[in-house]
Amino acid sequence: MRKLTTNSSVADAWTEDEQAYDVVVVGSGAAALTTAATAAHQGLSVVVLEKSSLLGGTSAVSGGMVWIVDNHHAREVGISDSKKDGRAYVEAIANGRGRSELFDAALENGDEMLQFVENELGLKFILLDNFPDYRQDLVGAATGGRTLEPALFNFRGELGALADFVRTDGRHPYTMQEYETWGAFTKFPWDELEDRQKSGIAAKGHSLVTMLLKACVDNGVEFAVDARVEKLSKDSGEVTGVVLEDGTTITARTGVMLAAGGFEWDKKLADSLLASRLYTMCSPPSNTGDALKMAQRLGVLTLSTREAWWAPMSLTGGTRDGKPIGSLLRFERQGPGSIMVNRHGKRFANEAQNYNDLARCFHSWDSPNNQTLNTPAHVIFDQSYLERYGILDHRAGLSTPSWLIEAESLEELAQKIGVPPETLVDTVERFNHHAVEGNDPDFGRGESAYDKYWGDDDNEWPNPSLGPLQYGPYYALEVVNGAFGTCGGIATDGSGRVLNVDREIIPGLYSAGNSSENPFASGYPGAGATLGPIMTMAYLAGKDIGSRAGVRSAETGDAALQGAANA
């Protein structure tokens, strides 16, 4: 355990008078930090306990976007939206699952949370006014205005020595606004982005987390890394603190927030609970379900544990904390001139649809043959695609990496990936015939605003999402069922208070983020629909903790809690 003090020095142990706080937060992602900053802003003493050696959790390696219905940024530029439309859309995408209490909490309070973190905590966001919701075919979907991204942030200048304890995925810092301008990665100003990175500029989830950390530091929150919480303390039915792996007990006078990530890295647990087998993840390996397990020992209600933030990924040799992770495939399958085929050499879905829905196609089962229906799957593209766009970090002219299969002809490529050569050739020929005309009669690729958004506006063919495979060599990239993390678990009420199996509140215990039941159940409405609702629930939990502190202060006369009573 290493305690990071407010002046960013490091201590290896807790002194006796440091072992009691008003609020103990387990985890350090966006949910954890939002609750910590919200509670501390009300005058409460807060400590954040992180199991790994780096702060930030899954949020730090995410896109960092937030999805907020009817937000003030959209209203300011004249975009018409309503919570009624947002509710209709979320209900449609959740497909009959989920609880009204959580729908209402996330939707009704999203903009309040956004204004609080901006006005009171100092976070800055950029409105993506033309970023479409994921399912344009469903009632209530918007063509833009619900997704916001973090602004660029000089985390080294703002956090000082604490910056060395923040997780990052190493990506160069750029915004989606800039991506829209530059288009393909082969057109990016990489020298400029390299200079940004060296100067300590953060973007995406790294920016979001470091802005939240700055807010926490400004409000007196303390941190510890390598501080694995092993169990919860309880007295007379109320959660009163936590016990660390080394036996240290830390008292929480008002509340404990469990926001320690999902359970995707506990393979046995994931295989037991999830709807489908996970083959790779991109989250920190510390996400082994600790919060879920601790809460289960107290008899909590668990819901939606079959769900994850599904995504098509490839294994390209990347690691996180020494463990292999997957690479998310986005433009690689959405750009004009690439297709995806299944184990039979046939297309099976609209490759340009959102990653969550596309990955669900990998869950299909071929019962007669007792095997998966669509996997193994491969993205197929040609030399012309590689020259225009590259593939992940590989560029034309470089030696072909081990994770990419190359062949001079489609027939040879088919043999190398184990699909019928004649079927792959027919699949490509049919796709090419329609792609040059700008349509896809088989799966509707390129029809929605979302498909077009991720295409190439400079595409020489009629549709930005469609283009033919033209000439060899040809390439195949294997795709597997992956996830950003699990998104079900501890059940809460609309204020983030944890419920037991009888749906009664467990006093003093809160949960948010991937440790808890997703507010939108199995739905994934749009970019930022992970973090937007998560931060909203975490904010509501922080407010409730402050209210609880005020009540307890009035009842007991405890001066340590008087700050919240006066806030």
Side-chain angles (χ1 to χ4, degrees), residues 158-441:
E158 295 290 344
L159 292 181
L162 188 63
D164 292 332
F165 293 92
V166 183
R167 183 179 295 282
T168 175
D169 63 2
R171 285 183 292 182
H172 288 80
Y174 62 88
T175 66
M176 280 303 299
Q177 275 193 335
E178 292 173 324
Y179 176 90
E180 292 175 5
T181 300
W182 299 330
F185 290 129
T186 51
K187 303 174 184 177
F188 273 36
W190 291 109
D191 289 343
E192 176 187 336
L193 297 181
E194 183 73 19
D195 290 341
R196 279 187 194 176
Q197 193 169 48
K198 290 178 180 177
S199 67
I201 301 297
K204 305 186 186 313
H206 190 205
S207 173
L208 176 66
V209 161
T210 49
M211 283 193 284
L212 282 168
L213 282 169
K214 178 64 165 55
C216 285
V217 170
D218 289 347
N219 284 279
V221 175
E222 297 187 3
F223 305 91
V225 295
D226 297 320
R228 181 177 181 271
V229 177
E230 192 170 70
K231 62 181 179 180
L232 299 166
S233 302
K234 197 174 181 183
D235 183 21
S236 302
E238 178 178 346
V239 172
T240 58
V242 301
V243 179
L244 300 182
E245 190 174 34
D246 64 5
T248 301
T249 297
I250 301 178
T251 299
R253 289 184 286 259
T254 305
V256 172
M257 161 57 75
L258 295 178
F263 55 85
E264 63 272 12
W265 282 90
D266 184 326
K267 188 177 187 304
K268 290 183 179 179
L269 191 59
D271 282 348
S272 173
L273 295 179
L274 290 177
S276 183
R277 170 70 60 84
L278 265 181
Y279 288 90
T280 190
M281 297 77 68
C282 61
S283 58
S286 53
N287 290 350
T288 55
D290 291 10
L292 177 63
K293 296 167 190 174
M294 282 186 283
Q296 285 179 317
R297 295 186 189 108
L298 299 187
V300 303
L301 178 67
T302 59
L303 296 172
S304 298
T305 53
R306 61 185 280 128
E307 293 301 333
W309 304 116
W310 308 107
M313 294 183 178
S314 287
L315 297 169
T316 59
T319 62
R320 179 153 292 133
D321 298 353
K323 299 290 182 67
I325 60 169
S327 297
L328 171 66
L329 300 184
R330 196 191 295 273
F331 188 84
E332 295 77 19
R333 59 181 171 81
Q334 295 172 307
S338 71
I339 64 172
M340 187 180 294
V341 299
N342 62 15
R343 66 191 309 142
H344 306 293
K346 298 179 179 180
R347 292 180 66 217
F348 57 93
N350 170 5
E351 300 92 341
Q353 67 183 296
N354 73 83
Y355 41 79
N356 191 63
D357 285 341
L358 178 59
R360 290 180 187 275
C361 296
F362 297 155
H363 305 176
S364 299
W365 188 251
D366 180 0
S367 295
N369 294 301
N370 193 38
Q371 62 184 9
T372 52
L373 182 63
N374 291 318
T375 57
H378 290 84
V379 169
I380 307 294
F381 59 97
D382 70 345
Q383 185 65 22
S384 68
Y385 182 98
L386 187 62
E387 291 167 355
R388 292 194 307 274
Y389 308 120
I391 189 82
L392 295 173
D393 60 357
H394 176 59
R395 300 291 177 264
L398 301 176
S399 298
T400 303
S402 59
W403 44 265
L404 199 57
I405 301 167
E406 178 182 357
E408 290 302 314
S409 67
L410 286 172
E411 291 87 349
E412 181 187 355
L413 189 68
Q415 291 175 344
K416 287 187 174 183
I417 65 174
V419 304
E422 65 280 3
T423 303
L424 181 60
V425 171
D426 288 347
T427 296
V428 171
E429 287 181 350
R430 176 173 174 80
F431 177 82
N432 285 352
H433 173 74
H434 294 290
V436 297
E437 298 174 349
N439 61 75
D440 173 22

Side-chain angles (χ1 to χ4, degrees), residues 551-566:
V551 171
R552 289 167 66 86
S553 172
E555 291 175 347
T556 65
D558 188 345
L561 299 178
Q562 196 62 49
N566 295 332

